[in-house]
Amino acid sequence: MKKVERINIIMRYINNRAHFTITEIMQEFNISRSTAIRDIREIEAMGMPLVAEVGRDGGYFVMNNSVLPTVRFTDNEVKALFIAFMATRNQQLPYLKSRQSLAEKLLGLISENQQDDLVHLNQILLFEGTNPNNPDLLELTDLPHPMLEKLIQLLLLDRSLLITIKEEKIIKSYPIYLLNLYREKSLWLIEAFDLKGEQKQVFPVDNLTDVAPYPVKKRVSKKKILEKLSKKEEAVNLVLELGPKAIAQFKKYHPLKVSISYTNPYQSTAILKTFINVHHSEELTEMTNWLLFLGTDIKVREVPEEVSKGLQERISLYCP
């Protein structure tokens, strides 16, 4: 690790602790006592107000109301940040304006040579969803739903919400306890416990028309919600053994709720267990398509009859 990078990391380490010793710095960063002392002195010279404590158990602490000195980025850190921005700029992420201002501030913090490197990277790197003819072009479809930022702001305060959804020209309201907000296949989705229907549901953010905090008097505690969810735990009805080719396909894409457990140290075989709601037509079709995507390197231990029938129908279309 380069000296500049090490000192930056030590500074963050120190700033997050009320007290630290030279021995702790030596052990945490695997450096000698003399190196640790030199680094501490250099950090003091940079403006971090450290106070030394004398005695057997002495050490250092940072003066109250202190802040980290100006952040310095290494070349690799700058590239990592910039590439992260590039890779996600066409993915309907929230806080789009803030992301743009962050990128501008990043450019203002770095040297001209570092800026030249970023310009070069911007010219040669393309990511999924990027227009190759104009990488800087932001399509209208790339913009996040206007309700997404409001939803996230409310979530930081409370998970008990009253959401209003437009479903086929019908407006419905649901009191919910939000479990997860996630993005899958270019769609933002709300996984929530419906407080009225007392069941888990998934709502597309694109269908949101309004979101507000749910009245305190009508709420249910998180503990009770989790108890109700555990009682309604869905039974596993799909069990597959995956070979290396199927595992490779799984890594390319898999539904958020599906996971695998490796069955050997080389991670070349795995077991997949999940639940498919065969009474939900969209989920049934989606899972059928995904199982075909996994390919033939699978062994079926258990599968719902409806899924098996759907797979046979799909295969017969290609192999009459």
Side-chain angles (χ1 to χ4, degrees):
M1 185 186 297
K2 292 181 180 179
K3 180 181 178 182
V4 173
E5 184 178 356
R6 185 182 68 245
I7 287 178
N8 278 332
I9 296 173
I10 292 176
M11 286 167 61
R12 289 194 289 272
Y13 176 89
I14 289 171
N15 202 63
N16 290 330
R17 282 159 179 77
H19 178 274
F20 69 95
T21 65
I22 292 294
T23 301
E24 289 172 344
I25 296 294
M26 292 167 56
Q27 293 174 347
E28 181 71 23
F29 299 98
N30 194 27
I31 56 178
S32 67
R33 183 176 185 83
S34 58
T35 300
I37 292 172
R38 281 199 303 270
D39 287 350
I40 294 298
R41 287 175 178 170
E42 187 163 339
I43 289 170
E44 286 182 291
M46 292 168 63
M48 179 175 272
L50 299 179
V51 178
E53 295 178 306
V54 181
R56 182 179 178 183
D57 298 320
Y60 295 83
F61 67 88
V62 185
M63 287 181 62
N64 291 336
N65 301 320
S66 65
V67 294
L68 281 169
T70 303
V71 175
R72 295 186 297 178
F73 294 104
T74 66
D75 286 346
N76 286 343
E77 288 173 337
V78 169
K79 293 182 180 71
L81 283 169
F82 187 71
I83 290 174
F85 278 123
M86 290 177 64
T88 57
R89 62 184 168 190
N90 298 96
Q91 292 192 12
Q92 295 184 329
L93 296 178
Y95 303 104
L96 186 61
K97 291 182 179 179
S98 297
R99 284 162 53 80
Q100 291 172 339
S101 64
L102 274 173
E104 292 169 1
K105 288 178 181 178
L106 174 62
L107 290 172
L109 287 172
I110 61 179
S111 67
E112 289 187 14
N113 287 338
Q114 288 175 320
Q115 289 180 18
D116 290 340
D117 286 342
L118 299 191
V119 170
H120 189 50
L121 283 174
N122 192 46
Q123 292 170 345
I124 61 177
L125 292 180
L126 293 178
F127 295 90
E128 186 178 0
T130 303
N131 186 327
N133 298 317
N134 188 350
D136 294 319
L137 181 65
L138 189 68
E139 307 283 358
L140 290 177
T141 53
D142 297 327
L143 300 175
H145 190 279
M147 291 297 299
L148 185 58
E149 287 189 23
K150 181 180 179 181
L151 177 62
I152 292 175
Q153 288 299 111
L154 285 173
L155 283 180
L156 294 174
L157 303 174
D158 204 334
R159 288 193 184 192
S160 296
L161 304 170
L162 181 65
I163 61 172
T164 305
I165 299 283
K166 186 175 182 180
E167 299 175 340
E168 297 180 357
K169 299 183 180 180
I170 300 175
I171 305 295
K172 293 183 180 180
S173 293
Y174 295 88
I176 66 165
Y177 180 84
L178 192 140
L179 301 170
N180 291 293
L181 175 64
Y182 64 98
R183 187 171 178 271
E184 187 173 79
K185 298 189 73 174
S186 301
L187 291 175
W188 282 96
L189 301 168
I190 298 169
E191 183 184 35
F193 181 75
D194 181 352
L195 296 173
K196 189 174 182 180
E198 294 196 344
Q199 62 181 344
K200 189 187 292 185
Q201 288 211 59
V202 175
F203 303 96
V205 172
D206 284 356
N207 292 351
L208 270 183
T209 60
D210 193 25
V211 57
Y214 191 55
V216 176
K217 293 181 180 180
K218 299 181 180 180
R219 297 185 184 188
V220 180
S221 70
K222 181 180 179 181
K223 183 179 179 181
K224 287 185 178 180
I225 290 171
L226 294 178
E227 286 176 357
K228 290 179 179 180
L229 283 172
S230 64
K231 290 178 182 178
K232 292 188 175 186
E233 185 119 9
E234 297 163 329
V236 170
N237 61 1
L238 176 69
V239 182
L240 304 176
E241 293 180 19
L242 278 62
K245 292 181 180 178
I247 291 173
Q249 290 295 93
F250 179 90
K251 289 178 178 179
K252 290 178 184 177
Y253 169 71
H254 60 88
L256 189 71
K257 70 173 186 175
V258 180
S259 61
I260 59 175
S261 300
Y262 291 106
T263 53
N264 70 24
Y266 304 103
Q267 299 186 353
S268 59
T269 58
I271 191 86
L272 182 154
K273 297 181 180 180
T274 191
F275 171 80
I276 300 177
N277 186 353
V278 296
H279 303 295
H280 193 292
S281 59
E282 288 185 8
E283 181 177 342
L284 184 60
T285 301
E286 171 67 22
M287 291 301 291
T288 302
N289 291 339
W290 181 67
L291 290 174
L292 290 169
F293 169 77
L294 287 181
T296 58
D297 193 18
I298 60 175
K299 292 181 180 178
V300 178
R301 285 192 187 176
E302 182 181 343
V303 65
E305 184 179 343
E306 293 84 351
V307 175
S308 180
K309 184 179 178 182
L311 288 170
Q312 291 172 6
E313 291 175 352
R314 291 292 300 276
I315 293 171
S316 66
L317 293 174
Y318 301 101
C319 304

